[in-house]
């Protein structure tokens, strides 16, 4: 660990009071002397301990789930000890890093005092075992009630303990073997899976069995996850109303609303028209972008229905990709930039690319002797699909241009209670905060190649095996192609279901719009795919450019290694296959080599009004294209020809 990293870590461990047991209402401390309590708090502080027991009020017979997190990478075993002293379950599997965590579950706990114990391997002395008591009631206690003054009642505060539990919750929610590329039709499918969601029915209100529909797109996903966790844990939450940028200016936020100071509903259509024709905003430029909503459903009564409405309607209509692209030094924002370090890039950290796509880190896999380090993230698509993917150039775009705002890795600003109500911490406050202290403008100073070089070093500090890295790049490209199969198939089903011809937006709006075009056209995905193809094609050149980053075989020059990689690349592209469904329902197989050979066609393959064969670049007159029965109108094809330069040059156009 570098001196800088040690200083950073020490600051995070400094506050004893907030790095201890998070859910006092859940885990009751045992009767103990003041000296024992001091020792316990000292041990917890030393290792950055936080514990979550779920549900919030455990009772006999209902599953009890426990997560135990530490800031330091200790080895140990978590055990849940029953009231009679017997060990009911143990778990030695440590996840994460950082934070590090263990989890365990009892399907039907007995009433009484349970103990969650983390026994440190090979440790002796007072901190060898970290213990928390959990009271399990005989009868189900009442769940939290709603409040007329807040979307949900605030019971706690954001802290290192909460942030670590948030990271652990995110990682568990989207966990799967590294070789898989899991996806889900909607976020609510993940949240309703009690094997994944440690907070399933955490409030004891059967809140995750009430059929809430939660389908965020990429910009909504970070806010939805953060709000869901805050709702369950009784933490504060808010969101900014921001512009999308345009006219050479980056996005900026002009308003902030929170669960206690709620955003008013949209004005009736007549009032909206008056505001559009004149009024206050005409003096200062365009107001924050917001969807045109003529009539919204009424907010339902009750804590759980009200929460569902809030994230599905209020928040979803209030945030967009501009929220993530605000300038790095701007502090009137929901996110702040962090340094590029292994200890800061934790699950829950957001990545905002310069063109409007947002991802949420879900897991970090450390480098080993046999494999490079990996960062995994999840994102949402316009059709509601949630998918996990790995960090690489093809998924995480980076560019520096003032008009685009500031891309990169960012975290949610802590929302705290001030004298006038809830507020967000400013940059200086975060920088000096004992438990955060990770505000950084470093990313804003990096050129494109420097950013990706730095990320290589963060994920894999030791030199990499070039052939293994080529395989990883090919696997990532293959995942991206298969994800596009799903998107194009959704468009085919829309057509097959009688979907009408969809109007094509003008100019840069093809990348940012609403309705069927956003749901089923793929301009943003295709631009990323073209960039990903370039990354794979030029990988041998990259190794030759930076031979010091790779474990070069003894006796071979950079030119020799490059030639070998080019041969391996050609072989892999020809053997990696996938299939898509043609217009008549039959399957057609392609290889990655086919995809690379169709780069030109893929520059005009995003229009959902075209048949799927054309969207996969099937040559005119070929057997593959014989089943194509649908073409985009000539007027749309003219526009696509005009916009083709954007895809050919791998760039998004600036907003007008």
């Amino acid at each position: 660990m570098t001196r800088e990293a040690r200083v950073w870590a020490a600051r995070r461990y400094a506050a004893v009071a907030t790095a201890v047991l998070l859910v006092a209402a859940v885990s009751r401390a045992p009767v103990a002397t003041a000296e024992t309590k001091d020792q316990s708090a000292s041990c917890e502080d030393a290792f950055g301990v936080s514990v979550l027991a779920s549900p919030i009020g455990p009772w006999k017979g209902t599953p009890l789930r426990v997560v135990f997190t530490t800031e330091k990478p200790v080895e140990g075993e978590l055990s849940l000890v029953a009231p009679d002293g017997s060990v009911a379950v143990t778990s030695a599997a440590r996840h994460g890093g950082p934070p590090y965590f263990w989890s365990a579950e009892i399907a039907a706990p007995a009433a009484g005092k349970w103990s969650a114990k983390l026994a440190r391997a090979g440790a002796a002395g007072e901190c060898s075992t970290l213990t928390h008591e959990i009271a399990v009631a005989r009868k189900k206690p009442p769940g939290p009630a709603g409040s007329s003054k807040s979307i949900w009642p605030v019971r706690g505060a954001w802290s290192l303990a909460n942030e670590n539990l948030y990271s652990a919750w995110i990682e568990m929610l989207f966990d799967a073997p590294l070789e898989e590329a899991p996806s889900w039709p909607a976020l609510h499918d993940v949240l309703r899976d009690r094997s994944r969601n440690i907070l399933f029915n955490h409030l004891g209100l059967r809140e995750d069995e009430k059929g809430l529909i939660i389908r965020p797109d990429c910009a909504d996903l970070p806010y939805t996850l953060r709000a869901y966790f805050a709702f369950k844990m009784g933490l504060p939450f808010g969101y900014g109303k921001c512009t999308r940028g345009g006219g050479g200016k980056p996005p900026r936020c002009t308003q902030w609303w929170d669960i206690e100071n709620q955003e008013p509903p949209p004005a009736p259509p007549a009032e909206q028209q008056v505001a559009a024709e004149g009024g206050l905003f005409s003096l200062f430029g365009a107001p924050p972008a917001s969807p045109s909503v003529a009539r919204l459903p009424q907010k339902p009564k009750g804590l759980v229905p009200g929460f569902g409405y809030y994230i599905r309607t209020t928040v979803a209509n209030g945030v967009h990709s501009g929220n993530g692209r605000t300038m790095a030094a701007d502090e009137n924002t929901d996110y702040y930039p962090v340094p590029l370090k292994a200890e800061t890039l934790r699950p829950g950290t957001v990545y905002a690319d310069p063109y409007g796509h947002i991802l949420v880190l879900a897991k970090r896999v450390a480098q080993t002797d046999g494999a490079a380090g990996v960062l995994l993230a999840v994102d949402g698509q316009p059709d509601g699909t949630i998918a996990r993917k790995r960090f690489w150039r093809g998924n995480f775009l980076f560019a520096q241009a003032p008009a685009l705002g500031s891309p990169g890795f960012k975290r949610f600003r802590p929302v705290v209670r001030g004298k006038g109500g809830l507020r967000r911490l400013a940059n200086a406050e975060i920088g000096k905060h004992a438990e955060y202290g990770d505000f950084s403008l470093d990313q804003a100073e990096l050129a494109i190649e420097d950013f990706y070089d730095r990320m290589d070093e963060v994920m894999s500090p030791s030199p990499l095996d070039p052939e293994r890295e080529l395989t990883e790049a090919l696997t990532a490209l293959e995942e991206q192609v298969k994800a596009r199969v799903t998107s194009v198939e959704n468009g085919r089903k829309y057509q097959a279901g009688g979907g009408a011809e969809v109007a094509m937006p003008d100019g840069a709006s093809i990348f940012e719009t609403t309705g069927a075009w956003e749901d089923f056209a793929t301009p943003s995905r295709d631009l990323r795919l073209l960039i990903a193809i370039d990354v794979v094609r030029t990988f041998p050149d990259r190794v030759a450019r930076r031979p010091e980053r790779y474990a070069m075989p003894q006796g071979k020059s950079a030119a020799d290694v490059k030639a070998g990689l080019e041969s391996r690349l050609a072989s892999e592209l020809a053997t990696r296959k996938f299939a898509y469904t043609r217009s008549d329902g039959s399957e057609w197989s392609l290889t990655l080599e086919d995809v690379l050979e169709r780069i030109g066609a893929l520059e005009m393959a995003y229009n959902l009004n075209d048949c799927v064969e054309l969207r996969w670049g099937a040559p005119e007159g070929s057997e593959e294209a014989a089943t194509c029965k649908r073409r985009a109108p000539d007027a749309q094809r003219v526009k696509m020809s005009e916009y083709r330069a954007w895809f050919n040059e791998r760039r998004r156009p600036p907003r007008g």
Side-chain angles (χ1 to χ4, degrees), residues 520-543:
F520 304 117
T522 55
S524 294
R525 183 182 291 278
D526 289 3
L527 180 60
R528 287 179 172 80
L529 177 61
L530 290 167
I531 293 171
I533 290 172
D534 291 345
V535 173
V536 170
R537 293 173 68 192
T538 60
F539 181 81
D541 294 320
R542 179 177 175 81
V543 173

Side-chain angles (χ1 to χ4, degrees), residues 160-175:
L160 174 62
N162 271 317
E163 298 288 2
N164 283 349
L165 288 170
Y166 180 62
S167 292
W169 174 69
I170 292 282
E171 181 166 333
M172 295 175 70
L173 201 60
F174 300 106
D175 197 26

Side-chain angles (χ1 to χ4, degrees), residues 348-410:
T349 303
V350 168
Y351 185 83
D353 87 8
Y355 306 116
H357 194 59
I358 309 290
L359 302 99
V360 180
L361 288 187
K363 187 173 185 176
R364 174 177 171 264
V365 180
Q367 183 182 19
T368 64
D369 291 339
V374 178
L375 281 176
L376 298 170
V378 290
D379 65 359
Q381 296 299 322
D383 61 8
T385 302
I386 303 295
R388 196 187 74 174
K389 51 201 61 175
R390 62 187 66 204
F391 177 94
W392 77 306
R393 268 179 104 138
N395 285 329
F396 289 68
L397 306 189
F398 189 82
Q400 297 281 20
L404 298 174
S406 292
F409 289 99
K410 305 181 181 185

Side-chain angles (χ1 to χ4, degrees), residues 435-502:
E435 293 188 314
Y436 288 88
D438 54 353
F439 171 78
S440 172
L441 295 176
D442 290 351
Q443 293 180 75
E445 305 299 322
L446 295 176
I448 296 175
E449 291 300 324
D450 293 335
F451 171 80
Y452 291 114
D453 288 348
R454 181 79 64 84
M455 286 303 301
D456 281 348
E457 293 162 4
V458 169
M459 293 188 295
S460 300
S462 301
L464 301 163
D465 182 316
E467 288 213 0
R468 186 178 295 120
E469 279 301 287
L470 174 61
T471 300
E472 291 290 332
L474 282 161
T475 299
L477 175 61
E478 189 173 22
E479 289 177 359
Q480 207 159 332
V481 168
K482 290 180 178 178
R484 186 180 188 270
V485 170
T486 300
S487 295
V488 174
E489 172 64 5
N490 289 339
R492 186 193 72 83
K493 290 179 178 177
Y494 172 81
Q495 291 179 344
E501 182 181 292
V502 177

